[in-house]
Amino acid sequence: MQPFTKLTSTAVAAMLGTAAFVAIALTPAPATAQDHPYCLQGRQWGYPGKCDFTSYGQCQATASGTDSYCDVNPRFAYGSQPQRRRAYDGW
């Protein structure tokens, strides 16, 4: 028969390992930022602003009555362009 302390430490180690695995496996993935075409810009929003608008009209309606304005989202308009492959020039 095994001593009680060895059985307890083994069981505790197994439970901690299982808990760590479950905690890592069930952690939600970070939300991906979605770049919408229009940003509400102004002093309180910074740059590039609050980019939550799919249409210019939505942005204008939100900006109405404030000191903010709407502009094109620079990340949406000038996002990363696909890299051109260099032409093969022989060896």
Side-chain angles (χ1 to χ4, degrees):
M1 193 162 161
Q2 292 183 343
F4 183 70
T5 56
K6 278 193 173 189
L7 181 63
T8 303
S9 64
T10 305
V12 168
M15 286 189 287
L16 287 175
T18 303
F21 176 77
V22 169
I24 292 170
L26 296 180
T27 301
T32 56
Q34 186 170 0
D35 287 331
H36 294 289
Y38 298 101
C39 296
L40 182 63
Q41 296 176 344
R43 187 177 302 197
Q44 71 187 46
W45 301 108
Y47 186 80
K50 181 178 175 159
C51 302
D52 294 339
F53 304 100
T54 56
S55 72
Y56 189 73
Q58 284 179 333
C59 186
Q60 285 287 71
T62 305
S64 177
T66 67
D67 62 347
S68 302
Y69 61 96
C70 296
D71 203 358
V72 176
N73 181 351
R75 289 183 299 218
F76 185 82
Y78 309 110
S80 63
Q81 302 296 321
Q83 298 292 325
R84 289 180 32 140
R85 295 183 63 144
R86 291 184 0 181
Y88 176 74
D89 56 357
W91 296 93

